Amino acid sequence: MEAQLEQTNFTKVIENNSNVLLDFYADWCGPCQTLLPTIHKLADELKDEITIKKVNVDEYPEIASKFGIRNIPTLIFFKDGQATDRHTGLINESNLRDKINSLK
């Protein structure tokens, strides 16, 4: 999984993929680290259905600011280039799968 989303490929990823999940996180964030294995598992498992990318809010504050990220982890779901859903805080694998399935 090429997990990290950078400023240079940010727009391209959202516009060129029909289903995208952005995970806004920080390395120092405990809940973000708790969610990490689930994010990696689903990114590998569902790679043909959704593009999952991580955005480090410390390294790319301009992307976080663009989406009004105030708390992490925050997950933003995109369908055909448009943000359709958002979740802040921990989420279990089952609920995250449901949110991903709702993009289809």
Side-chain angles (χ1 to χ4, degrees):
M1 170 181 159
E2 179 194 334
Q4 188 65 38
L5 183 69
E6 299 174 354
Q7 184 67 38
T8 55
N9 64 355
F10 164 73
T11 303
K12 186 177 179 180
V13 166
I14 291 175
E15 291 176 354
N16 293 340
N17 294 284
S18 55
N19 298 317
V20 177
L21 167 58
L22 296 185
D23 172 20
F24 290 85
Y25 78 103
D27 292 332
W28 50 263
C29 169
C32 300
Q33 297 306 312
T34 300
L35 186 59
L36 185 64
T38 301
I39 294 291
H40 281 276
K41 176 183 178 183
L42 294 178
D44 291 338
E45 197 176 297
L46 303 174
K47 64 184 171 209
D48 295 331
E49 300 171 38
I50 187 167
T51 299
I52 299 176
K53 297 289 184 180
K54 299 174 64 56
V55 180
N56 187 317
V57 298
D58 291 330
E59 292 179 21
Y60 301 102
E62 59 282 348
I63 298 174
S65 177
K66 176 180 173 105
F67 289 100
I69 304 301
R70 297 190 191 281
N71 298 298
I72 52 176
T74 293
L75 306 174
I76 301 181
F77 302 82
F78 293 85
K79 175 76 174 172
D80 299 322
Q82 299 296 316
T84 60
D85 196 4
R86 173 185 290 240
H87 180 87
T88 300
L90 285 176
I91 185 170
N92 66 39
E93 183 178 336
S94 175
N95 289 342
L96 183 52
R97 281 181 186 278
D98 289 345
K99 286 187 173 282
I100 290 170
N101 286 333
S102 73
L103 290 175
K104 299 176 191 174

